[in-house]
């Protein structure tokens, strides 16, 4: 009798712990979630096999090479390997690379800015706890020894300010679905691909969500066929304004467009597939507020 009642009390405690959020995720779990879903670091930083599939056991050990008029740069090894990765970097040095796009003040290219393809102008928006969580997680990744080719800079690095990242976010904003969605869309750098773009310059003020930018299907193979970033504004005919939430969610997480056709790379559908439903809902709530453009 005594036993059953203790059992019942124990169960009640567990239930109340869950509902009070006392079993909330740890910093490492939060970092894992951000890196491997919305921020999709591995979409650039992980190596791929001949079919273009990410090699999971070498995750984050160096990935795509971007060859542009401004730079030739390979996404480096960001595993904790001390020689070829970022294992010897301090937390402060990793933070600065992420949110300011600047290398450590020692070693090769000391203090030099990273090529603008590393989306530090978006990561500037990271809340301090999320930034710390990403670093905590990166320290737990399996170290892989792999050195990537050094970058070649052809033009001075020009990082374009992204208005929502410049304005910044606060923890208090995260309870507002649209602001939380805007935060996730910012750290997911959605608009880097989906904003109006001309001759290497983004229009982040009046061109948000307009689409139109062409991407090679295979990075480093400029002659490969391209995919064109879609209009994701709330425009009902040109954009996604008339789509249901379920249709938008399916496009983001499964790469299936409204009419059922498969969407092409480089959008990180496989990463976004891991997004939690409430987060996906908030991203969609934000997209519904992006002014219509045709
Ligand atoms: C769109 C592709 C892309 C995405 C997404 C991306 N990076 Fe990068 N990152 C790069 C490239 C390319 C470089 C190298 C730039 C250079 O050499 O100038 C880089 C550089 C870095 C560096 C500096 C490493 C070094 O050895 O110099 C760190 C640290 C880093 N990225 C971490 C991250 C993390 C963490 C994420 C996800 C939160 C991320 N990156 C997302 C492309 C990307
Ligand atoms: C690396 C570039 C890139 C990033 C980052 C990116 N996208 Fe895309 N996205 C594309 C391209 C290119 C297409 C069109 C693919 C095609 O037509 O085959 C697309 C298609 C879409 C579609 C389908 C629209 C349609 O008409 O079929 C939606 C919705 C979408 N993206 C939303 C997002 C959201 C939300 C984010 C951020 C979480 C995001 N994208 C990040 C490049 C990107």
């Amino acid at each position: 009798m005594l036993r059953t009642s203790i059992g019942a009390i124990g169960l009640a405690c567990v239930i109340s712990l869950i509902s009070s959020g006392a079993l909330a995720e740890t910093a490492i779990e939060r970092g894992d979630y951000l890196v491997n879903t919305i921020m999709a670091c591995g979409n650039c930083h992980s190596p791929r096999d001949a079919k273009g599939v990410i090699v999971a056991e070498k995750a984050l050990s160096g990935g795509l090479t971007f060859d542009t008029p401004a730079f030739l740069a390979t996404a480096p090894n960001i595993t904790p390997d001390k020689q070829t990765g970022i294992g010897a970097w301090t937390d402060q040095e990793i933070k600065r690379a992420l949110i300011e796009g600047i290398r450590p003040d020692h070693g090769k290219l000391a203090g030099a800015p990273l090529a603008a393809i590393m989306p530090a102008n978006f990561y500037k928006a990271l809340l301090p706890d999320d930034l710390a969580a990403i670093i905590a997680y990166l320290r737990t990744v399996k170290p892989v020894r792999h050195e990537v080719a050094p970058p070649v800079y052809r033009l001075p690095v020009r990082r374009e300010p992204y208005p929502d990242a410049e304005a910044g976010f606060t923890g208090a904003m995260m309870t507002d679905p649209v602001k939380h969605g805007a935060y996730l869309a910012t750290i997911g750098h959605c608009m880097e691909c989906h904003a109006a773009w001309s001759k290497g310059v983004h229009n982040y003020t009046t061109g948000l969500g307009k689409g139109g930018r062409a991407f090679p299907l295979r990075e480093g193979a400029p002659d490969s066929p391209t995919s064109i970033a879609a209009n994701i504004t709330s425009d009902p005919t040109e954009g996604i304004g008339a789509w249901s939430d379920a249709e938008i969610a399916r496009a983001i997480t499964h790469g299936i467009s409204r009419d059922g056709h498969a969407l092409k790379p480089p959008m990180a559908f496989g990463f976004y597939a891991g997004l939690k439903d409430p987060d996906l809902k908030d991203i969609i709530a934000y997209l519904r507020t992006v002014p219509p453009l045709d």
Side-chain angles (χ1 to χ4, degrees), residues 189-190 193-194 227-230 232 243 252 257 263-264 266-267 272:
H189 71 114
C190 309
C193 296
H194 285 282
S227 72
I228 311 283
I232 58 166
W243 296 30
I252 296 172
S257 191
L263 295 165
K264 298 188 218 93
M267 191 168 144
Y272 301 152

Side-chain angles (χ1 to χ4, degrees), residues 37-38 43-44 184-194 213-215 217 226-232 238-240 243 247-252 255-259 261-269 272 275 280 283-284 286-287:
T37 67
I38 188 65
N43 202 34
C44 293
L184 294 172
T186 301
I187 64 173
H189 71 114
C190 309
M191 295 303 178
E192 177 158 35
C193 296
H194 285 282
R213 181 172 170 190
F215 294 87
L217 288 189
T226 52
S227 72
I228 311 283
N231 180 331
I232 58 166
E238 306 287 329
I240 57 174
W243 296 30
E247 285 165 345
I248 302 174
R250 184 177 70 162
I252 296 172
I256 300 173
S257 191
R258 193 185 195 196
D259 63 6
H261 85 269
L263 295 165
K264 298 188 218 93
M267 191 168 144
F269 311 109
Y272 301 152
L275 279 169
L280 197 50
I283 292 170
I284 295 168
Y286 160 71
L287 291 177

Side-chain angles (χ1 to χ4, degrees), residues 147-168:
E147 180 121 41
V148 306
V152 177
Y153 300 124
R154 296 163 175 155
L155 293 172
V157 175
R158 193 175 46 81
R159 231 173 218 101
E160 298 170 276
Y162 184 67
D164 277 0
E166 296 301 317

